[in-house]
Amino acid sequence: MDGSQVINPYLAGNFGPIHSEDDFELEVVGEIPAGLNGVLYRNGPNPQFEPRDEHHWFAGDGMIHAFFVEDGKVRYRNRFVRTPKWELEHAAGRSMFGVFGNPMTSDPSVMGQDSGVANTNIVWHAGRLYALEEGHKPFELDPATLAPLGYADQYLNRVTAHPKLDPETGEMTWFGYSIGEMPFTRTMSYGVTDATGKVTRRDDFEAPFSSMVHDFLVTKRHALFPILPLTGDLQRVMTGGPAYAWEPDKGSHVGVLRRDAPVETMRWFTTDACYVFHPMNAWEEGDKIFADVMEYPAAPLFPNADGSMGERAAARLVRWTFDLAGESDAIKRTPIDDLEGEFPRFDERDLDPLRHHRPHRPG
């Protein structure tokens, strides 16, 4: 070591935090099409203060960026999501919570306090705007001012940052992981919110082990829950280890459930260790379900259980096949493309992700 200061890459450059909250009109070069009116919202992690411990990209406070397009003009507004954590730290003028609310590195004065950051996604459903982060309930914002309206208490517990909206029914399908008073449990929730914003279903089930379940997949008739070996472990945390760590020996499991069936009927399929942050699409053909996902051979950004960082390769698009009529519970995995990537999308103007869509092979 040459004694120089190590700079966390997620606190510098393009990842560096923005400390100001602004309102201004953007300069338009050219002309915005007539009739194009609406709002583009973006959410992302943005630490309010210098972190107390080694910062993780996913741990910054949420900040919403809104672009209001109207009559050929664009107004910009950005605001922190004023969660209870943000309010406590703002009043103190410094960081009070450890990364992911780690009790070992948090200030004793905030022990047991809510550590939500609402920093991952933003969703419009049933006339309400929600900032989402998978460790807590949805946090509602005023769509015009971005002022805080508080947690959506009808959800009772944590909700995924990636719910799925059904274009036919207007329902929002969602899940939560590590449900319960203690962290890092195996308990998960499967839920449905109807088109009016009322939660019409919430059922708990047990996963094979405690895992960071960032996203899931929904088809016209089924929901798929990937339980991959990026594990959470309270005992490991309390002995100074990582909250989430890569444990490939646990293998990969995917629960497949009919959307209208009880959780007790869920069928578990398995394959070797891999990790997926974001799927692209899932659809059904007869008794088979196909899912195209960005698959990593090992979870990036997180250490092994002993705290060491192993080699991490990039994600590539892989097709998972589940044969519901077959006797085997093995997941068939077929590489689609060798291009490295993340955050896959297809053109949703013409294609419906819930209606038996089989996407073209990427070129």
Side-chain angles (χ1 to χ4, degrees):
M1 300 294 291
D2 60 6
S4 61
Q5 183 179 4
V6 177
I7 299 176
N8 189 303
Y10 298 117
L11 293 172
N14 286 337
F15 292 99
I18 298 170
H19 298 294
S20 64
E21 295 180 315
D22 300 299
D23 294 89
F24 53 83
E25 187 169 308
L26 297 176
E27 178 186 357
V28 176
V29 178
E31 184 178 348
I32 294 177
L36 180 59
N37 296 293
V39 188
L40 171 65
Y41 298 102
R42 296 297 299 270
N43 191 1
N46 190 76
Q48 181 182 190
F49 296 111
E50 185 72 20
R52 295 174 64 87
D53 45 4
E54 185 175 353
H55 180 66
H56 193 284
W57 186 18
F58 298 171
D61 299 287
M63 176 173 274
I64 308 301
H65 304 264
F67 299 83
F68 299 87
V69 182
E70 186 175 12
D71 298 330
K73 298 180 179 180
V74 182
R75 291 182 296 108
Y76 169 80
R77 168 172 289 170
N78 71 309
R79 294 290 186 272
F80 280 104
V81 183
R82 285 163 163 74
T83 62
K85 170 190 178 293
W86 187 94
E87 296 283 10
L88 280 170
E89 294 185 329
H90 188 71
R94 61 187 177 92
S95 178
M96 302 286 283
F97 291 82
V99 171
F100 300 126
N102 186 346
M104 299 295 290
T105 55
S106 294
D107 188 287
S109 67
V110 299
M111 293 298 290
Q113 298 293 317
D114 183 273
S115 62
V117 288
N119 68 1
T120 309
N121 197 5
I122 190 158
V123 169
W124 177 262
H125 181 250
R128 296 179 182 272
L129 184 68
Y130 296 114
L132 302 174
E133 168 252 314
E134 62 205 56
H136 296 81
K137 292 180 286 189
F139 193 90
E140 188 176 355
L141 303 169
D142 183 286
T145 67
L146 305 183
L149 299 178
Y151 282 120
D153 288 332
Q154 70 265 32
Y155 288 95
L156 302 178
N157 213 312
R158 58 179 60 198
V159 170
T160 175
H162 293 295
K164 311 303 178 189
L165 302 179
D166 189 324
E168 295 181 348
T169 66
E171 292 178 330
M172 183 169 73
T173 302
W174 47 272
F175 74 95
Y177 68 90
S178 291
I179 300 300
E181 294 184 2
M182 296 297 292
F184 309 120
T185 70
R186 295 170 47 226
T187 306
M188 296 183 61
S189 291
Y190 166 57
V192 177
T193 304
D194 70 15
T196 70
K198 180 182 178 181
V199 175
T200 58
R201 175 174 183 174
R202 181 183 180 273
D203 293 313
D204 292 349
F205 62 93
E206 296 298 306
F209 49 84
S210 175
S211 169
M212 177 180 281
V213 189
H214 183 69
D215 204 346
F216 76 138
L217 305 105
V218 177
T219 68
K220 190 177 182 68
R221 291 189 294 267
H222 293 85
L224 288 74
F225 306 92
I227 311 301
L228 310 176
L230 179 55
T231 67
D233 190 310
L234 181 59
Q235 183 176 1
R236 187 170 62 211
V237 171
M238 299 307 293
T239 56
Y244 288 100
W246 180 243
E247 292 192 272
D249 290 347
K250 292 186 180 294
S252 297
H253 308 253
V254 178
V256 178
L257 175 70
R258 277 193 63 98
R259 289 170 58 182
D260 59 356
V263 291
E264 291 78 15
T265 64
M266 188 177 304
R267 179 177 175 182
W268 290 96
F269 289 78
T270 62
T271 189
D272 295 335
C274 62
Y275 195 75
V276 172
F277 279 116
H278 302 107
M280 184 170 75
N281 189 39
W283 72 99
E284 303 166 3
E285 294 181 14
D287 290 323
K288 291 185 178 181
I289 298 175
F290 300 91
D292 289 348
V293 302
M294 296 304 299
E295 180 187 294
Y296 294 88
L301 308 175
F302 288 89
N304 299 315
D306 62 4
S308 65
M309 296 297 293
E311 290 189 20
R312 297 291 186 257
R316 291 179 170 84
L317 196 61
V318 175
R319 179 162 296 162
W320 290 352
T321 303
F322 305 83
D323 188 352
L324 302 182
E327 296 182 359
S328 173
D329 290 334
I331 302 169
K332 180 182 177 182
R333 292 155 62 195
T334 306
I336 295 178
D337 200 283
D338 59 3
L339 182 68
E340 298 177 0
E342 248 298 1
F343 299 99
R345 298 290 291 270
F346 54 84
D347 190 339
E348 295 171 9
R349 292 174 299 181
D350 301 316
L351 304 175
D352 182 346
L354 294 179
R355 296 178 183 170
H356 304 284
H357 163 56
R358 183 183 182 94
H360 298 293
R361 186 182 188 276

